[in-house]
Amino acid sequence: MSTVTVVHTKDRLSGVVQLVGRRPDDVPRRWWESLLVFLFFTGAYSWFGYWVVVDMHVVGFEALDRLNRALMVWHNEPAKLSAIGFDYPPLATLLIAPLAIFRGFVTSMAAVPVASAIFAGITMVALNTMMRRALIVGPLRYALLLALGANPLVLLYATTGTRHFVWIAFAVTALGSLFAWYVTADVRFIMLAGIAYAVAALAGYSSLTFFVLSAIMVGAILARLGADGTEVEGTVVGFAAPTAYVIALWTVLNLVLLLDPLAWITRSSDAASSGGLEVFSAVDLLRGTGELVLYGAPLAIVVLPALLFSGLARGNPFATWLGVLLAAAILTPALAVALRLTDSPMLMRNAVPILLIAVVGAIWLARSAEEGSTLVAGLVIVGLLISIPWTLEQMKTYRYQNLEAPFAAAITTGESQEGAETLSGDKVGIVSEQAMAEYIRNNVTRDNSILTDNAQTYAVMMLTGHPERFFDRVDKSDGPWKIAARNPAKYVDYMLISTSDNGDLLYKLYADAVAGNDAQLQIVYRTPRYVLVGVPKGYSPTATTTQIQNLQGSP
């Protein structure tokens, strides 16, 4: 009869590198400090953003689209969670949905800056906590946060409602958890990092690059510290499981609903947002990468070699891997162009994650410097302050950008940018949308009485605060909507149509009405970007066969 050998927990864990079952030595918790940092930056960015968006009229239409979808979640007829759609990562819209509970908060545009300010505040909290674990004194911590927070690129994307800080906030939080794990050896931080990356993955697909590298990092660091295969495998699986699960679930939903498991990649707005990809040579990509770092995140030029030197020459594995993550952030925009994963090449916004990961790396260098941490932190602050006017000036002329130039002009002149043009030729401002929305609020009261392609007229819908008054493509899906588009008199009293052929499906059918050349469909109200066309009860559809085929062939 065999004897059962009982292995006590103490003996079983004797070779385990990480702490299990007991609290590690760590900096004391200061929830009140984290709360104050969050409230300060969220409040400051919301206040400054209100000036930028409402007074200066510097606002991206992508933010308005997401807020309109959030408004439809609560107030459409019928209200639908499916209004979040597949154009954006789902949490990029779902996480801001609570802002749309009250219509007035959205129609006043006050919700726009808050939609990004909240997540910028979370990012600052994560960075402050990292600095506390790096033993950087309070005054230097706050000075560094202020210097970073005043960076014009950070200001632009933290105050104008863009979605980029949504995924960045959780990616930085995940890095902060890995930072804490390496310092304390507490395996719980690995699980927190895994959860944070899972949220980041569904808020911005760009975070998946950093997730994969972080998973490799965890395994490599444990192996280097002498952990056995079981501990390495268990820790990496525990870290990766949340993100793997949510990506698998999202893939299945895309398969079931769209019959394409990879639609979340191919239909993403990241893959089709600028209308065409020019040809880049290897030299072009190299030069573009250098300009992106030099103009948007010059701190990385110093931090990257310092991390690699500290890691390889001084046996600091966490520094090595932070260097790898920073290098990945630098190279990813060029790789996305080379692999044709994007048609928005080398945009200046790509410098934001580069800058933030460079700051994380600088914080780790400060901790690694021990007695020299104060000097390192001081140098980082000086570098961030010097980069503010430099980056602001480059935003005015950098070739690949969104609203950087109008934002820089608003900051330097204090004048409204309504009617200004971006460097790509797009008009800035929302006066046209506001005028049409005001007319509809004052003159249209019946639900589902305005037929419109919400993919093009979302800004007007959002500013009315009444998505239920529109018969849009979300209400009953594209099939019933296209039937109504061919015979609108049977369903609606009006049609809201874009005045340019920018993909509006109604424009394809009723271009003559938009131009004012249709005797049956009279224009009720016009702005430079939109027309509201009345549909009389006796209207007889006259669309040609070619027009019908155009509509049927549209996505």
Side-chain angles (χ1 to χ4, degrees):
M1 187 173 180
S2 60
T3 303
V4 177
T5 302
V6 178
V7 180
H8 294 283
T9 300
K10 180 179 179 181
D11 296 328
R12 181 173 60 82
L13 298 178
S14 60
V16 175
V17 171
Q18 302 165 101
L19 293 177
V20 180
R22 60 187 178 89
R23 293 189 63 82
D25 294 328
D26 195 8
V27 293
R29 294 181 179 179
R30 289 185 181 175
W31 64 267
W32 54 268
E33 181 177 338
S34 296
L35 179 62
L36 288 176
V37 169
F38 173 76
L39 292 177
F40 174 80
F41 280 99
T42 301
Y45 285 141
S46 297
W47 171 78
F48 183 74
Y50 187 86
W51 176 78
V52 171
V53 171
V54 178
D55 295 339
M56 297 295 101
H57 287 202
V58 178
V59 57
F61 278 74
E62 169 260 325
L64 305 185
D65 188 11
R66 288 165 48 239
L67 278 171
N68 182 56
R69 294 166 188 259
L71 198 66
M72 294 168 78
V73 168
W74 301 104
H75 302 292
N76 202 16
E77 182 57 46
K80 282 187 175 183
L81 186 60
S82 61
I84 64 174
F86 294 88
D87 295 324
Y88 305 107
L91 292 186
T93 301
L94 194 59
L95 288 176
I96 66 170
L99 299 178
I101 293 176
F102 301 103
R103 302 175 195 257
F105 190 50
V106 175
T107 58
S108 69
M109 302 284 285
V112 175
V114 177
S116 54
I118 290 174
F119 300 99
I122 293 173
T123 303
M124 295 302 177
V125 170
L127 292 173
N128 183 64
T129 303
M130 278 186 260
M131 285 190 282
R132 289 186 60 230
R133 288 198 168 93
L135 304 180
I136 297 175
V137 295
L140 287 178
R141 292 201 306 271
Y142 309 141
L144 194 151
L145 290 177
L146 290 172
L148 174 63
N151 180 280
L153 269 181
V154 173
L155 273 176
L156 171 60
Y157 289 98
T159 61
T160 53
T162 60
R163 61 192 164 93
H164 308 293
F165 259 106
V166 182
W167 74 263
I168 287 174
F170 291 100
V172 172
T173 299
L175 288 178
S177 296
L178 293 174
F179 190 113
W181 165 73
Y182 190 84
V183 170
T184 65
D186 189 347
V187 72
R188 292 177 302 171
F189 287 116
I190 284 288
M191 305 305 139
L192 292 175
I195 294 171
Y197 265 129
V199 178
L202 292 187
Y205 303 136
S206 300
S207 64
L208 290 172
T209 299
F210 305 109
F211 160 72
V212 172
L213 290 175
S214 295
I216 298 172
M217 175 185 73
V218 170
I221 288 177
L222 284 175
R224 189 179 186 281
L225 294 176
D228 62 22
T230 301
E231 183 180 2
V232 173
E233 179 182 350
T235 304
V236 173
V237 169
F239 169 79
T243 303
Y245 173 78
V246 297
I247 291 299
L249 179 61
W250 189 232
T251 301
V252 170
L253 286 175
N254 277 256
L255 175 62
V256 172
L257 298 177
L258 302 178
L259 302 179
D260 181 1
L262 298 180
W264 59 277
I265 298 175
T266 58
R267 295 193 184 186
S268 169
S269 60
D270 289 333
S273 58
S274 68
L277 179 62
E278 60 183 277
V279 177
F280 282 78
S281 67
V283 175
D284 292 333
L285 291 176
L286 184 61
R287 182 175 61 249
T289 299
E291 291 176 348
L292 186 65
V293 176
L294 178 62
Y295 299 155
L299 182 67
I301 298 174
V302 177
V303 172
L304 178 58
L307 285 170
L308 296 178
F309 174 79
S310 178
L312 299 176
R314 297 189 176 183
N316 189 336
F318 196 69
T320 302
W321 280 100
L322 284 178
V324 171
L325 289 170
L326 179 54
I330 293 171
L331 296 175
T332 295
L335 289 174
V337 174
L339 298 175
R340 306 193 71 81
L341 297 177
T342 178
D343 67 356
S344 301
M346 312 306 289
L347 289 178
M348 201 170 191
R349 72 185 184 206
N350 291 314
V352 177
I354 297 173
L355 175 62
L356 290 171
I357 295 176
V359 170
V360 173
I363 294 171
W364 181 254
L365 290 173
R367 187 186 188 281
S368 301
E370 298 179 353
E371 292 84 359
S373 63
T374 299
L375 176 62
V376 173
L379 291 174
V380 172
I381 293 169
V382 171
L384 288 172
L385 290 174
I386 292 174
S387 70
I388 290 175
W390 167 257
T391 299
L392 182 63
E393 190 63 28
Q394 302 308 320
M395 290 170 69
K396 299 176 182 178
T397 57
Y398 184 79
R399 180 179 180 185
Y400 304 109
Q401 59 168 270
N402 293 315
L403 291 171
E404 280 81 357
F407 178 81
I411 293 293
T412 54
T413 66
E415 298 177 356
S416 172
Q417 297 302 298
E418 181 67 42
E421 288 190 359
T422 65
L423 295 187
S424 60
D426 295 327
K427 288 288 186 180
V428 178
I430 53 171
V431 165
S432 187
E433 287 74 17
Q434 289 174 323
M436 181 61 76
E438 183 179 8
Y439 181 88
I440 290 173
R441 279 198 308 269
N442 294 335
N443 295 278
V444 181
T445 57
R446 190 169 71 87
D447 289 352
N448 294 312
S449 60
I450 305 174
L451 186 70
T452 194
D453 181 356
N454 58 282
Q456 305 300 324
T457 59
Y458 50 80
V460 175
M461 294 177 63
M462 187 211 81
L463 289 168
T464 66
H466 292 279
E468 71 277 8
R469 294 181 186 174
F470 297 85
F471 186 155
D472 52 71
R473 296 168 63 183
V474 173
D475 291 343
K476 298 177 182 179
S477 77
D478 277 359
W481 184 89
K482 288 182 178 180
I483 292 174
R486 297 181 190 122
N487 187 16
K490 185 177 178 180
Y491 301 91
V492 297
D493 302 321
Y494 306 93
M495 290 189 292
L496 176 64
I497 312 174
S498 298
T499 56
S500 59
D501 188 8
N502 56 359
D504 191 318
L505 300 189
L506 290 179
Y507 185 95
K508 295 177 183 295
L509 286 176
Y510 303 104
D512 287 342
V514 172
N517 297 327
D518 191 313
Q520 296 186 79
L521 299 175
Q522 296 296 309
I523 295 176
V524 176
Y525 189 74
R526 173 187 286 276
T527 69
R529 290 176 179 165
Y530 308 94
V531 293
L532 185 66
V533 176
V535 181
K537 293 298 182 184
Y539 172 69
S540 175
T542 57
T544 66
T545 301
T546 300
Q547 289 173 317
I548 295 296
Q549 290 173 345
N550 285 340
L551 182 60
Q552 290 174 332
S554 301

